[in-house]
């Protein structure tokens, strides 16, 4: 079995992998941003950080949403 | 172009399909928080998945808590002809019972598949399985009929907790024992907070994902209110490390412990999920890159009152002056 066939086909599983390993850097930046503001978090408090994280996920998933 | 007025209104008001956790004016009885039917199907589904294999893999929390509950039962020097295991699931607690102290266990659970997951050969004691609703215990058991009732991690899905405790007390014989373990308010607080933060940041509001759970201080009050005496309540924690939030959620689903709150959203946006996973790791993550999940367990012991039990003496009946003793 080659490494490409190991990759899961279930979308949620793929999202899980991409959000924790492929896009780990962006995820960390976003998490740090929330951590800095979590006592006073509001909608789109970390919009820019999430935009990068989300873009990375969309690229990795090869899908748009 | 003119639409007929009725059609226009119908277009403006999309069909409401959400069910809210509120008391309808026609409802009789206690506040409904949990969707019991959804819970039963979640449990059945979890147990049948991969022929019970995935359900057995995630037995670790229940087995650990059953083990700690067993320690408490061993402290009670008594032999039982029958013990009722209320909300037994697949019998995690019954499996640990010893044939020297117990002859028979009656397992009661509302999920039929979970109840019959393991064959009788897995149990040392004789087992009887009753597929019945835990919330209406007195329909299954006669009042004043049982020596001991135990419940291992099932009471947190009961809508009417004060009511079930009263039913347990009624079903017990005088001087009968109730021993229970249930999840307390700190359980899965990491998951709860991460999802809340993610939902506020991404969507601008929060919705219920982790059940409301009973606080420790309330449990002794509830037991007292139900009429139990000689209460013992203590708290313990089981901490489990997971690679990420995704594995935690998968395991919770395989345990049959998915969200079953009335009025829950049946859908989480993938952005919110991804955000929650990132927040979980930054806010609560361990140094080695894993994430912790806390399961707080409240153990409770109560006895049905009987004349034979020790009681406090009447006020003012003391003969010795404490001043002289101390």
């Amino acid at each position: 079995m080659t490494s490409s066939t190991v990759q899961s086909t279930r979308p949620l599983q793929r999202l899980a992998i991409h959000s924790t390993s492929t896009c780990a850097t962006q995820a960390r930046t976003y998490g740090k941003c929330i951590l800095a503001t979590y006592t006073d978090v509001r909608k789109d408090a970390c919009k820019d950080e999430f935009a990068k994280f989300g873009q990375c996920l969309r690229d990795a998933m090869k899908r748009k949403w | 172009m003119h639409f007929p007025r009725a059609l226009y209104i119908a277009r403006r008001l999309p069909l409401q399909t959400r069910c809210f956790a509120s008391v309808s004016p026609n409802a009789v009885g206690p506040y409904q928080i949990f969707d019991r039917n959804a819970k039963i199907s979640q449990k059945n589904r979890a147990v049948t998945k991969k022929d019970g294999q995935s359900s057995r893999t995630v037995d670790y929390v229940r087995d650990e808590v059953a083990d700690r509950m067993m320690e408490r039962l061993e402290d009670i020097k008594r032999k039982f002809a029958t013990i009722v295991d209320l909300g037994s699931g697949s019998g995690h607690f019954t499996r640990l019972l010893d044939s020297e102290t117990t002859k028979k266990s009656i397992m009661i659970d509302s999920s039929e598949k979970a109840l019959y997951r393991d064959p009788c050969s897995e149990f040392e004691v004789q087992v009887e399985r009753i597929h019945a609703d835990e919330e209406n215990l007195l329909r299954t058991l006669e009042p004043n009929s049982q020596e001991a009732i135990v419940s291992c991690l099932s009471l947190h899905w009961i809508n009417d907790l004060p009511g079930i405790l009263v039913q347990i007390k009624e079903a017990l014989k005088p001087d009968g024992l109730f021993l229970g373990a249930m999840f307390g308010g700190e359980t899965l607080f990491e998951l709860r907070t991460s999802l809340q933060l993610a939902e506020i940041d991404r969507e601008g509001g929060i919705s219920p994902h982790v059940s409301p759970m009973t606080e420790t201080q309330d449990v002794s009050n509830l037991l007292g209110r139900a009429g139990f005496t000689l209460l013992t309540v203590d708290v313990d924690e089981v901490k489990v490390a997971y690679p990420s939030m995704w594995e935690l959620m998968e395991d919770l689903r395989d345990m049959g412990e998915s969200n079953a709150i009335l009025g829950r959203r049946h859908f989480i946006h993938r952005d919110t999920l991804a955000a929650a996973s990132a927040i979980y790791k930054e806010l609560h993550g361990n140094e080695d890159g894993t994430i912790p999940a806390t399961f707080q367990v409240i153990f409770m012991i109560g006895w049905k009152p009987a004349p034979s039990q020790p009681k406090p003496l009447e006020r003012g009946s003391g003969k010795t002056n404490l001043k002289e003793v101390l």
Side-chain angles (χ1 to χ4, degrees):
Chain A
M1 202 185 263
T2 59
S3 63
S4 62
T5 52
V6 176
Q7 207 183 34
S8 173
T9 47
R10 281 171 48 213
L12 192 64
Q13 198 92 48
R14 279 172 49 220
L15 184 66
I17 292 165
H18 292 316
S19 67
T20 49
S21 50
T22 320
C23 302
T25 330
Q26 289 87 338
R28 198 170 306 126
T29 321
Y30 172 71
K32 287 236 160 57
C33 168
I34 292 281
L35 193 61
T37 55
Y38 79 94
T39 49
D40 185 30
V41 75
R42 61 193 74 216
K43 188 170 193 312
D44 293 333
C46 296
K47 198 177 176 186
D48 298 339
E49 285 80 359
F50 191 81
K52 288 187 191 122
F53 182 31
Q55 192 52 50
C56 172
L57 287 177
R58 286 169 179 79
D59 292 345
M61 297 279 286
K62 298 194 183 74
R63 278 179 71 176
K64 286 182 191 158
W65 66 79
Chain B
M1 203 166 93
H2 290 278
F3 286 111
R5 197 170 170 76
L7 182 63
Y8 180 67
I9 289 174
R11 280 167 54 94
R12 288 280 302 278
L13 299 170
L15 198 64
Q16 289 275 325
T17 48
R18 280 182 64 183
C19 37
F20 292 95
S22 61
V23 183
S24 94
N26 307 319
V28 181
Y31 204 82
Q32 296 288 307
I33 309 161
F34 304 117
D35 186 342
R36 296 279 298 169
N37 290 327
K39 184 51 34 203
I40 293 168
S41 25
Q42 285 172 3
K43 286 197 171 170
N44 284 341
R45 218 177 297 140
V47 168
T48 35
K49 191 180 162 198
K50 288 190 194 161
D51 211 16
Q53 208 183 321
S54 36
S55 158
R56 285 190 184 89
T57 326
V58 295
D59 273 348
Y60 51 89
V61 174
R62 284 170 189 280
D63 281 345
E64 176 63 33
V65 174
D67 200 43
R68 295 186 190 182
M69 209 165 103
M70 197 60 209
E71 287 170 19
R72 284 155 176 87
L73 187 72
E74 279 164 359
D75 288 340
I76 296 163
K77 302 288 172 231
R78 214 184 249 206
K79 289 194 190 321
F80 301 99
T82 52
I83 287 185
V84 174
D85 190 351
L86 177 66
S88 61
S90 310
H92 303 87
F93 182 77
T94 296
R95 193 168 317 161
L96 301 176
L97 287 171
D98 184 348
S99 55
E100 276 189 16
T101 51
T102 316
K103 289 230 161 54
K104 183 181 163 189
S105 167
I106 303 175
M107 288 162 51
I108 301 179
D109 203 285
S110 51
S111 159
E112 196 173 9
K113 299 276 190 317
L115 195 60
Y116 288 96
R117 190 190 78 181
D118 292 335
C120 288
S121 54
E122 293 255 333
F123 303 98
E124 195 177 319
V125 296
Q126 189 193 342
V127 288
E128 182 188 337
R129 309 181 205 221
I130 302 177
H131 173 218
D133 184 11
E134 300 105 336
E135 282 194 334
N136 296 307
L137 185 64
L138 287 179
R139 284 193 201 154
T140 318
L141 300 175
E142 291 288 312
N144 292 311
S145 62
Q146 301 301 324
E147 292 165 55
I149 298 181
V150 299
S151 165
C152 184
L153 298 181
S154 69
L155 294 180
H156 60 287
W157 289 117
I158 302 276
N159 279 307
D160 182 16
L161 190 59
I164 190 72
L165 291 174
V166 171
Q167 291 190 57
I168 290 172
K169 195 211 87 183
E170 285 302 312
L172 285 170
K173 285 179 188 165
D175 203 28
L177 163 75
F178 168 58
L179 170 65
M182 73 182 287
F183 285 125
E186 296 285 297
T187 303
L188 295 178
F189 75 92
E190 301 97 340
L191 183 66
R192 185 199 301 269
T193 50
S194 310
L195 282 167
Q196 283 176 348
L197 286 172
E199 275 194 325
I200 292 177
D201 176 51
R202 292 289 88 226
E203 303 176 47
I206 57 174
S207 59
H209 291 290
V210 179
S211 300
M213 277 168 282
T214 320
E215 295 293 333
T216 325
Q217 53 267 42
D218 299 332
V219 171
S220 36
N221 293 342
L222 284 173
L223 286 171
R225 178 184 182 271
F228 286 103
T229 57
L230 305 167
L231 309 176
T232 317
V233 175
D234 69 309
V235 187
D236 213 342
E237 263 182 15
V238 181
K239 271 203 177 213
V240 187
Y242 292 90
S244 75
M245 189 191 82
W246 307 92
E247 283 82 5
L248 166 65
M249 286 171 63
E250 202 175 311
D251 276 16
L252 286 175
R253 188 199 52 209
D254 288 348
M255 289 175 197
E257 297 291 321
S258 313
N259 188 2
I261 307 173
L262 278 172
R264 66 194 177 282
R265 287 168 81 198
H266 296 267
F267 164 89
I268 314 181
H269 196 277
R270 61 187 102 182
D271 276 352
T272 312
L273 268 181
S277 147
I279 294 167
Y280 202 133
K281 190 155 189 174
E282 282 310 309
L283 201 57
H284 305 288
N286 295 326
E287 276 176 17
D288 60 356
T290 58
I291 56 133
T294 307
F295 297 90
Q296 187 195 38
V297 186
I298 305 173
F299 292 98
M300 51 192 128
I301 303 177
W303 298 81
K304 182 161 176 174
S308 60
Q309 284 169 351
K311 282 195 186 55
L313 292 174
E314 206 168 311
R315 201 181 158 90
S317 63
K319 294 252 169 10
T320 319
N321 193 342
L322 269 182
K323 252 188 194 167
E324 289 161 23
V325 183
L326 295 172

